[in-house]
Amino acid sequence: MTRVVLPEAKLFRDLIETIGNIADEVSLVLTGDGLSIKALDVDQTSLVDVLIPREMFLEYDVGEAVNIGVSINNLKRVLRHIKKGENLSIELEGDYAKFSIGAGGVVSRVFKFRNLDVPVPELPELSINYTVNAKLMAQSLKKVIEDIEAVGGSTQIKATQDAIVFKSIGAGKLEVRFAQGSLALISLEVSEPAEGVYDTSKLVNILGVARVSDIVSLQFATKNPLKAEFSIGPGRVVYLLAPFEA
């Protein structure tokens, strides 16, 4: 029998809500190492790769690797009203996936969904020479991107040895500069100055992860995809976004 228990269902809910901005269905892949989820958007310009290692689970009973295909909308509906501190168990029972919230508590809820045949996206191995590696406070990045979304336009990200700059490209004008020494900019390593222009709405899609991660690592190079990596304890969420063509 396959059964895993996460101590905090809210973490899983926040991740599912974020992934739901990219895909309608996903496959939860359980292996001996942990739970992984990969999703690729329809136009194949962005992808998300989530890993929740087995040490983050209260219980982890997985033999052979299994795939549990689910509808994101179904999961969002049942996870909507979870309370802080409620656990989440995921079990595979024949052709059904069972999700139990608050197991062992005064009130528990159990939901079953048919195990869908959802293919796992085959993500190509990318060999990118990133010239910029910046670590920022996740909430600070979230605020900047939301402000750019509010004024309208695409998001230009530029980096030099001295600072990383976020600028709206479009009808609205906004520029935010994080210089070395800024409280929001934890570190900045630049082997070569770089810049790229990205779809603001797709950046907003992933920023829900900032609710469960304090720090985000941004890596990019001119004319190359942006890589954003959020740490969640020993786990992580990686987001890749292709730039607009110059």
Side-chain angles (χ1 to χ4, degrees), residues 60-231:
Y60 199 85
D61 185 6
V62 176
E64 295 182 356
V66 296
N67 291 11
I68 300 177
V70 293
S71 159
I72 291 289
N73 282 335
N74 284 345
L75 283 183
K76 287 169 67 174
R77 281 196 293 267
V78 302
L79 296 172
R80 185 176 300 152
H81 301 298
I82 62 170
K83 298 177 182 177
K84 185 177 180 179
E86 288 187 314
N87 60 32
L88 171 71
S89 73
I90 304 172
E91 299 178 56
L92 189 59
E93 294 186 347
D95 293 333
Y96 288 84
K98 184 171 80 171
F99 296 83
S100 303
I101 301 170
V106 177
V107 178
S108 62
R109 288 97 73 201
V110 177
F111 305 89
K112 289 186 179 182
F113 301 107
R114 184 171 292 279
N115 186 6
L116 305 177
D117 183 15
V118 180
V120 178
E122 294 185 8
L123 308 183
E125 291 291 334
L126 299 177
S127 178
I128 299 173
N129 181 25
Y130 290 112
T131 61
V132 177
N133 189 343
K135 288 187 178 180
L136 298 100
M137 298 302 295
Q139 286 296 333
S140 297
L141 176 63
K142 183 174 185 289
K143 178 67 165 56
V144 169
I145 301 303
E146 288 175 344
D147 286 347
I148 291 176
E149 182 187 39
V151 301
S154 304
T155 298
Q156 181 190 64
I157 308 177
K158 298 177 66 175
T160 63
Q161 295 285 352
D162 300 322
I164 184 168
V165 179
F166 298 83
K167 183 178 180 180
S168 64
I169 304 296
K173 300 300 179 185
L174 175 70
E175 181 174 307
V176 179
R177 182 175 185 268
F178 295 114
Q180 293 274 20
S182 165
L183 292 177
L185 181 60
I186 298 167
S187 66
L188 177 62
E189 299 175 4
V190 179
S191 61
E192 180 182 314
E195 65 178 83
V197 178
Y198 304 92
D199 187 327
T200 301
S201 64
K202 294 195 174 186
L203 288 172
V204 170
N205 284 346
I206 196 63
L207 290 176
V209 181
R211 294 196 296 266
V212 295
S213 179
D214 294 330
I215 297 172
V216 55
S217 172
L218 292 183
Q219 294 178 284
F220 65 100
T222 300
K223 296 183 179 180
N224 278 288
L226 173 72
K227 178 181 178 181
E229 182 166 343
F230 299 82
S231 297

